[in-house]
Amino acid sequence: MNITDKERQYTDPFWFLVLTLPYGISSGFASITLPFILVQNGYTVGEAAMVTALGISANLYRFIWAPLTDLSLSLHKWYILGTLLCSATLLLICFFPLSTTGHGVLSFVVFISQVAATLVMSPTGGFMARTVASDKKGRAGGMFQAGNFLGLGLGGGAGIWLYTHFDIVISGTILSAVMLACMLPLKYVVPVSLDGGISMKDKFRQIIPGIKEMLINPMAIFTILLILTPIGAGCASYIWSSVGDKWKVNSDTVALVTGTLSGLVGGLGCIVGGYMCDKLGMFWTYFTAGVLQALVVSIMAWSGYDPSVYVCGVLLYAFTFGLTNAAFSTVMLKVVGTKLSATNYALLSSIGNLSSVYMTAFDGWMVDVKGIKGMLLAEGLLGSVFVIIFLLLLSRVRRIPVKS
């Protein structure tokens, strides 16, 4: 896929906020609304978190099918296909029995819904890598993650509110309709078409060399290791809706705080983080966000179970998570380049989502074993330790010459 210099245009970073919404809504429903519903139906926090962790593990494997985005159809067509499947699979969850005896099959259904969601992310990542001006990559990454957060807010907060006031089917139907509406801004995105005259076989042969070309850069290796760590992973976001009662918070407040408000505040954090990356540097933004997130959970752990602590803590956590996500996207955009961009972006984001899977399972397990305070302290400690380690590594990596 190439855009010639003569034909080159740039996509306004703002549109990535809208294009990412279907993924965020699907993820928010699976990771916030569904755990809330499951706990109401007899699941423990740990069991509900495991369903979420297994579901979002689909993000680990997106690199397997991501090459199809670069090698077949156009990015516009892949985005439309992904959004249609994302909408349909969210509805599928809403019609599935939620008894504790069926958690294995339910996990599989959630997994399939998140596979569908990745088909939205891959072409969107390709659009960002290929159609955004280099000096606006940070802002594009920030808008991209802001859309993810706002989607989480809709899929989580609005999802819980609709469930508690109506039912799960109405909740899923409305959210699915919002997803479909997100296809409208595609007309404002610069089209990226397939290379002509190259067979599919030859295109597949380009994948491994293209990935190797990216990985010869020491900064790419550093980036891969960095995104595997718990720094700023933000996985308590998937626990908040299940533990609100510990702070004596009612369901409406949980829905508002973990959903709508967290989406807005997290989205603001993404936008701020994007500008910070362009102005101050992506790694400094990443580490700053990680330290702030560790500080928030540590303060929450020692502040008692007052509703105001829950509200303020969850929202501050969402803001720091937004900062981290903006830096996360910007780091990957700088590394993937423009060749096989959707494939390389999907590969790095698949690797990066491993931390979300293991930290979600870890946080849920810690709540069951050591309580919410133990979970908060453990998450804060892990984040702080890895920030120190990678700050020391960064100074060394920058002195390594890049091989050609």
Side-chain angles (χ1 to χ4, degrees), residues 112-129:
I112 294 300
S113 77
Q114 298 310 291
V115 169
T118 66
L119 296 179
V120 172
M121 294 295 270
S122 292
T124 305
F127 284 135
M128 284 196 298

Side-chain angles (χ1 to χ4, degrees), residues 70 75 122 125-127 129-130 336-346:
D70 278 312
L75 294 184
S122 292
F127 284 135
R130 290 172 175 266
V336 299
T338 58
K339 186 176 182 180
L340 291 173
S341 55
T343 299
N344 288 337
Y345 190 91

Side-chain angles (χ1 to χ4, degrees), residues 22 79-80 83-85 87-88 175-185:
Y79 182 86
I80 292 170
T83 302
L84 291 173
L85 291 174
S87 176
L175 293 174
S176 294
V178 175
M179 287 182 179
L180 297 177
C182 293
M183 293 189 289
L184 296 176

